[in-house]
Amino acid sequence: MKRLALPLLAVALAAPAVASAQDIPGEFAFDFSVGTDNRSKGASKSEGDPFAMGSVEWGLNDFYVAAEVQTIEHSIGADLEPQISAGWRPEAAGFRFDLSATHKWYLNARPGTDDDAWEFTADASRRLTDRVDARLRFQYSPDSAGSTRSWTWVEARGRVRVHERVRVSAAVGRREQVNSRDYTAWNIGADVRLTDWASLDLRYYDTDVANPSAQYEDALVAVLNIGL
């Protein structure tokens, strides 16, 4: 439980100092999450165990920088993943884009292992109707942590607002990796806005991996998100 609290504690301690900087232009946002499994690109980053995440983002016009830390269980022994991102969110021709570069560190990894990585993301989303939107995501890393080298992830997602506070969504993606497993993953679920600052996401994940380990096996995952 102590390890799960670290991401939330780090952001909570930083919040008063950032919030007191009244002369800084732009806007700050804080996010906290706890969940039953840390899923990314359809696979578990926590070997099916609970996780915690905390982040802070500063934005000015369409540009932003963010810092985040989350608990993980990586094969190289790492149990914490801090990261720093910079990105741009322009709009054009009815599309909203999110283009970012992220550098990740894997803390407490075994000595001699590859314990950092770059990740580049390009999202294109569009509102199709008042209730329906879609997003296409492309991600690339030239050299991931551990023994994995370069990889790509392509994912399509659709969402439907079925209630003022409820959205149902589904996504399917494909990951191709050098020196690691290729797989297809999908998920379906709903996010419910509990208050103006809290939401709950309940989602089923699965992959096409035969005889999967905890990293790739199917799971029903619940995540509580708090945004300030």
Side-chain angles (χ1 to χ4, degrees):
M1 291 301 295
K2 183 183 294 185
R3 186 172 64 85
L4 290 177
L6 285 176
L8 304 185
L9 178 61
V11 177
L13 291 174
V18 175
S20 65
Q22 300 294 328
D23 56 339
I24 299 177
E27 297 182 350
F28 288 93
F30 299 88
D31 286 291
F32 311 88
S33 297
V34 290
T36 59
D37 189 359
N38 188 352
R39 289 272 166 161
S40 175
K41 305 171 188 68
S44 176
K45 299 174 68 173
S46 59
E47 294 295 328
D49 290 336
F51 81 101
M53 182 276 289
S55 69
V56 56
E57 178 181 299
W58 171 81
L60 180 62
N61 299 323
D62 296 333
F63 296 92
Y64 65 93
V65 293
E68 177 182 299
V69 60
Q70 57 185 286
T71 60
I72 61 171
E73 292 291 343
H74 200 282
S75 59
I76 61 176
D79 56 11
L80 282 175
E81 182 190 290
Q83 63 183 52
I84 295 178
S85 303
W88 180 40
R89 296 189 181 113
E91 295 186 27
F95 289 89
R96 303 181 68 177
F97 299 93
D98 191 340
L99 312 174
S100 65
T102 300
H103 191 258
K104 300 182 176 183
W105 295 266
Y106 295 83
L107 301 188
N108 303 318
R110 290 189 297 275
T113 56
D114 186 359
D115 59 1
D116 70 325
W118 281 96
E119 184 173 301
F120 303 94
T121 301
D123 287 349
S125 59
R126 186 182 181 97
R127 183 174 296 280
L128 304 178
T129 71
D130 289 343
R131 293 178 174 268
V132 180
D133 65 78
R135 185 191 71 188
L136 182 63
R137 165 169 287 178
F138 175 80
Q139 291 182 297
Y140 169 74
S141 176
D143 185 11
S144 192
S147 60
T148 304
R149 294 299 169 240
S150 64
W151 57 257
T152 59
W153 168 256
V154 181
E155 180 191 69
R157 185 195 71 185
R159 294 190 304 190
V160 180
R161 186 174 295 280
V162 297
H163 183 270
E164 180 181 341
R165 291 182 175 268
V166 182
R167 291 182 301 189
V168 175
S169 60
V172 60
R174 176 69 180 175
R175 192 173 190 179
E176 301 281 349
Q177 305 184 89
V178 175
N179 204 32
S180 190
R181 184 189 299 273
D182 300 335
Y183 65 91
T184 299
W186 54 90
N187 67 75
I188 185 169
D191 63 275
V192 182
R193 181 154 294 281
L194 305 175
T195 69
D196 289 341
W197 46 268
S199 65
L200 178 67
D201 189 272
L202 187 63
R203 191 162 302 278
Y204 174 77
Y205 291 88
D206 201 2
T207 71
D208 66 348
V209 176
N211 302 315
S213 62
Q215 183 178 3
Y216 298 105
E217 68 181 0
D218 66 321
L220 184 63
V221 178
V223 179
L224 177 65
N225 301 293
I226 298 174
L228 303 175

